[in-house]
Amino acid sequence: MSVREFLAGVVVVWTMGAPVSARAAESWPQFRGPNGDGHSQAKALPLAWSETENITWKIPIHDHGWSSPVIWEGQIWMTTATEDGQRLFAVCVDRRTGKIVHDLKVFDVEEPETISEENSYASPTPVIEAGRVYVHFGTCGTACLDTESGEILWTRRDLHCDHQWGPGSSPILWENLLIFPMDGIDVQYVVALEKSTPAPAT
């Protein structure tokens, strides 16, 4: 099986290597982790996996997405999209059991942009904090979801650019702001939204 074939059937796994207290204490709230550098403070992590070794659970996630999972306490969130880009989803998995907690269609897209075969319509990684997860699909839209109920609290669908090869930039949180770049071949700009509302920061 090629790497690409493996990734196309997205599987989330949670390993047994770290002590339970360490796993429970650490969240992974954004792309490349708490500090954006890919480093974790967890100790004694496993160095090898197989279909049976160091696997607590695994579950297939429908459709297609390159976004990384984010973790907050007992939840793991990620995004996925249909191959044609017409339906965009946010999925939440229970960190302990692997059970699907939320499987939410966030956006319908009538005319998705053409993207590279190497990309997906769900490549930007979400960012999460207590009670809220923010999902970003580039020019197709950005949304804030309640992590407990799955309710969509707000959306923005008026921030556009021509990604050419598809979206890829992931949002971050800073103080009361949700920040992300819109890096198109036509326009390039950085967006800062007040995270409690979809309004631009002033």
Side-chain angles (χ1 to χ4, degrees), residues 126-166:
V127 60
I128 192 169
E129 62 179 354
R132 301 288 184 270
V133 62
Y134 306 85
V135 294
H136 178 61
F137 299 94
T139 194
C140 293
T142 304
C144 172
L145 285 63
D146 185 292
T147 57
E148 184 67 26
S149 67
E151 178 186 359
I152 298 175
L153 301 177
W154 57 256
T155 64
R156 284 291 296 264
R157 305 200 70 178
D158 60 330
L159 302 167
H160 298 299
C161 70
D162 180 354
H163 293 294
Q164 186 179 22
W165 305 121

Side-chain angles (χ1 to χ4, degrees), residues 45-136:
L45 295 174
L47 299 178
W49 293 268
S50 70
E51 288 295 317
T52 57
E53 182 184 12
N54 288 319
I55 301 294
T56 302
W57 54 260
K58 63 180 180 178
I59 186 169
I61 303 298
H62 64 84
D63 293 310
H64 190 69
W66 290 167
S67 67
S68 299
V70 293
I71 303 171
W72 190 271
E73 296 181 345
Q75 293 187 335
I76 303 174
W77 284 84
M78 68 214 76
T79 56
T80 187
T82 53
E83 291 272 1
D84 60 11
Q86 292 188 329
R87 292 183 295 164
L88 310 177
F89 299 87
V91 178
C92 174
V93 177
D94 184 280
R95 180 176 180 172
R96 183 179 62 85
T97 66
K99 179 182 177 181
I100 299 290
V101 178
H102 300 296
D103 189 350
L104 310 169
K105 185 173 69 171
V106 182
F107 294 123
D108 287 304
V109 183
E110 290 187 8
E111 297 182 2
E113 291 184 348
T114 300
I115 65 171
S116 167
E117 292 182 357
E118 304 297 327
N119 202 358
S120 76
Y121 287 96
S123 290
T125 294
V127 60
I128 192 169
E129 62 179 354
R132 301 288 184 270
V133 62
Y134 306 85
V135 294
H136 178 61

